[in-house]
């Protein structure tokens, strides 16, 4: 369950405005809505609240599609896990880009964001079987060839929990498998901690390398990109990473 700060809108954004913007993006992808659908969604999420409101802002434009490894990931063999899949926006993107449906699984700790995605894309019946929810990691060893981790590391405050998350990804990958993803961070040398409204972990590059290699992966390739909500004087960035699970000797 996200901490309360992970449910608050910031920078003048509102639930009404973000749902309207998300529906606009999703309409552009060909989804249609019945009359009064917007009002019913606002009512529903006023009551339930939205976890991680920023995912509404980027809905329909998921980070995976501009990831430096994305083109290669689409060509990989075998099953792919979206670990901490949220709304499932990345899964819809890889489906649109032709990755075989029967090789995709989305996993999250709760249905909250997955349901928000179903409500916005109106595809619950079509995609429900791709998602798995559990409060512990349910997959067996060496089940996947590729694991995607989009904006999950920065929401895990606790170091031991993050190490467990990455160790799960490592174990679930076959030797030679790839972990790729992104996390909010800050270039080394810029002093910055988490702010009151932001995610709990704002990692310097060196911390990302330390946690990923501690899980057993080879040192990751890391690329820093600007964050969508970048403000003047704000040194935060999005770090994209890609690391390989060593082949067995
Ligand atoms: C900010 S959202 C990002 C969702 C999605 N990956 C995206 O790119 O839009 C973070 C997601 O990570 C999930 N999450 C956090 N800790 C997790 C864990 N230990 N295992 C699996 N999912 C986790 C949260 O429930 C939430 O859905």
């Amino acid at each position: 369950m996200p901490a309360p700060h992970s449910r608050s809108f910031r920078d003048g954004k509102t639930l009404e405005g973000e749902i309207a913007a998300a529906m606009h993006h999703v309409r552009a992808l060909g989804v249609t809505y019945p009359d009064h659908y917007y009002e019913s969604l606002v009512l529903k999420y006023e009551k339930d609240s939205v976890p991680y409101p920023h995912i509404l802002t980027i809905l329909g434009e998921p980070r995976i599609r501009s990831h430096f490894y994305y083109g290669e990931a689409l060509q990989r063999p075998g099953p792919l896990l979206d670990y901490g899949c949220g709304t499932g926006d990345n899964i819809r993107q890889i489906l649109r880009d032709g990755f075989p449906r029967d090789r995709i699984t989305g996993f999250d700790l709760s249905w909250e964001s997955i349901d928000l995605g179903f409500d916005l894309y109106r595809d619950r019946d079509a995609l429900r079987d791709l998602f798995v929810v559990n409060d512990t990691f349910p997959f067996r060893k060496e089940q996947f060839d590729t694991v995607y981790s989009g904006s999950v590391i920065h929401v895990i405050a606790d170091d031991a929990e993050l190490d467990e998350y990455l160790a799960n990804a490592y174990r679930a990958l076959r030797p030679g498998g790839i972990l790729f993803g992104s996390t909010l961070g800050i270039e080394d040398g810029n002093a910055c901690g988490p702010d009151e409204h932001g995610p709990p972990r704002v990692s310097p590059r060196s911390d990302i390398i330390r946690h990923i290699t501690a899980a057993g992966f080879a040192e990751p390739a890391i690329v820093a990109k600007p964050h969508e909500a970048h403000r003047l004087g704000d040194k935060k960035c999005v770090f994209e990473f890609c690391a390989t699970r060593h082949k067995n000797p």
Side-chain angles (χ1 to χ4, degrees):
M1 187 62 69
H5 73 264
S6 301
R7 293 175 175 276
S8 56
F9 288 87
R10 57 187 303 196
D11 298 334
K13 294 193 168 110
T14 61
L15 176 70
E16 290 84 349
E18 294 307 282
I19 287 189
M23 287 175 70
H24 177 74
H25 284 133
V26 173
R27 268 198 195 93
L29 294 168
V31 175
T32 57
Y33 297 109
D35 289 348
H36 308 299
Y37 197 77
Y38 164 73
E39 290 82 353
S40 65
L41 276 193
V42 170
L43 273 181
K44 175 173 177 182
Y45 286 98
E46 264 172 3
K47 188 164 150 285
D48 294 349
S49 83
V50 172
Y52 310 109
H54 191 67
I55 59 179
L56 271 178
T57 308
I58 59 173
L59 202 95
E61 299 178 337
R63 286 211 179 105
I64 195 170
R65 67 180 186 171
S66 55
H67 193 289
F68 72 86
Y69 186 71
Y70 184 51
E72 281 179 71
L74 288 174
Q75 304 304 319
R76 283 186 62 73
L80 176 148
L81 175 68
D82 184 354
Y83 187 6
C85 60
T87 55
D89 219 24
N90 301 298
I91 285 181
R92 292 180 183 87
Q93 183 71 46
I94 62 177
L95 282 168
R96 285 196 291 277
D97 289 333
F99 197 85
R101 185 190 194 288
D102 60 357
R103 293 204 265 127
I104 300 172
T105 303
F107 170 67
D108 211 297
L109 300 174
S110 95
W111 284 105
E112 278 192 302
S113 297
I114 301 173
D115 277 332
L116 175 65
F118 287 153
D119 284 342
L120 284 160
Y121 283 92
R122 304 186 69 218
D123 57 4
R124 184 176 269 102
D125 292 345
L127 295 191
R128 165 67 185 81
D129 60 308
L130 298 186
F131 294 93
V132 174
V133 167
N134 206 37
D135 51 15
T136 56
F137 190 72
F139 303 104
R140 62 176 192 278
K141 261 174 67 180
E142 301 185 11
Q143 195 173 335
F144 298 97
D145 287 90
T146 313
V147 171
Y148 178 69
S149 166
S151 305
V152 181
I153 289 177
H154 64 236
V155 306
I156 302 179
D158 183 71
D159 274 354
E161 210 181 302
L162 175 59
D163 287 337
E164 188 186 338
Y165 171 85
L166 292 168
N168 287 339
Y170 187 86
R171 271 194 302 274
L173 279 168
R174 297 193 183 122
I178 297 284
L179 169 72
F180 77 112
S182 60
T183 182
L184 189 62
I186 183 137
E187 283 290 8
D188 295 6
N190 289 314
C192 170
D195 67 51
E196 188 190 350
H197 301 290
R201 180 182 294 276
V202 183
S203 307
R205 184 184 289 254
S206 52
D207 277 14
I208 301 170
I209 294 172
R210 186 165 52 79
H211 284 286
I212 288 180
T213 53
F217 290 98
E219 181 158 325
I222 298 192
V223 172
K225 296 206 174 148
H227 186 252
E228 309 83 27
H230 178 82
R231 280 164 296 180
L232 208 61
D234 186 346
K235 302 283 195 322
K236 293 194 192 85
C237 62
V238 175
F239 281 122
E240 294 180 351
F241 53 84
C242 179
T244 307
R245 181 194 158 153
H246 293 292
K247 286 202 159 62
N248 286 336

